[in-house]
């Protein structure tokens, strides 16, 4: 992917890749590719989240926290910070209140 992409990640996503000085810590093409992956995952999970919620066994918060646990697990295709962004975006898409996510272990 080249750096001339028309896709502009939202500031909330780009912030995941910024250093303390405000510079991107990865090439813009990589940030855009990661954004596309994370946005696609959030959109893909909408139906699954609704199904889990409407099964009556979980609250909105439990559904979102469960999805976060799966996305943030070791071996996931997304980083823990990206997992948090995906769950926040998923809550937005569902028009649900975003849960307080567990702190990220810096390892």
């Amino acid at each position: 992917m080249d750096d001339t992409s028309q896709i502009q990640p939202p500031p909330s996503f780009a912030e995941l890749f910024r250093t303390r000085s405000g510079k991107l810590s990865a090439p813009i093409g990589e940030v855009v590719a990661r954004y596309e992956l994370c946005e696609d995952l959030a959109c893909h999970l909408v139906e699954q989240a609704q199904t889990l919620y409407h099964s009556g066994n979980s609250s909105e918060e439990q559904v979102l926290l469960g999805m976060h646990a799966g996305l943030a697990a070791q071996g996931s295709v997304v980083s823990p910070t990206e997992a948090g962004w995906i769950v926040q975006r998923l809550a937005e898409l569902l028009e649900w209140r975003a849960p307080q996510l567990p702190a990220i272990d810096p390892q």
Side-chain angles (χ1 to χ4, degrees):
M1 171 170 259
D2 63 27
D3 292 347
T4 61
S5 173
Q6 297 295 315
I7 296 173
Q8 294 292 317
S12 63
F13 188 82
E15 191 62 34
L16 303 179
F17 293 88
R18 293 206 184 277
T19 63
R20 289 183 190 260
S21 65
K23 294 182 180 184
L24 286 177
S25 61
I28 188 65
E30 181 180 330
V31 174
V32 169
R34 298 303 298 175
Y35 166 69
E36 288 179 300
L37 170 69
C38 291
E39 179 68 18
D40 286 349
L41 272 170
C43 292
H44 178 74
L45 290 172
V46 167
E47 186 176 342
Q48 184 177 354
Q50 288 172 327
T51 299
L52 288 169
Y53 176 72
H54 291 296
S55 72
N57 297 324
S58 299
S59 67
E60 293 173 357
E61 180 179 37
Q62 289 170 322
V63 169
L64 292 171
L65 289 173
M67 296 226 168
H68 180 261
L71 289 166
Q74 187 173 1
S76 176
V77 298
V78 297
S79 72
T81 55
E82 289 170 332
W85 186 89
I86 292 167
V87 169
Q88 297 292 326
R89 178 68 176 133
L90 179 57
E92 183 179 283
L93 292 169
L94 291 164
E95 297 182 355
W96 292 356
R97 182 173 176 217
Q100 179 68 40
L101 298 175
I104 297 170
D105 183 9
Q107 298 175 342

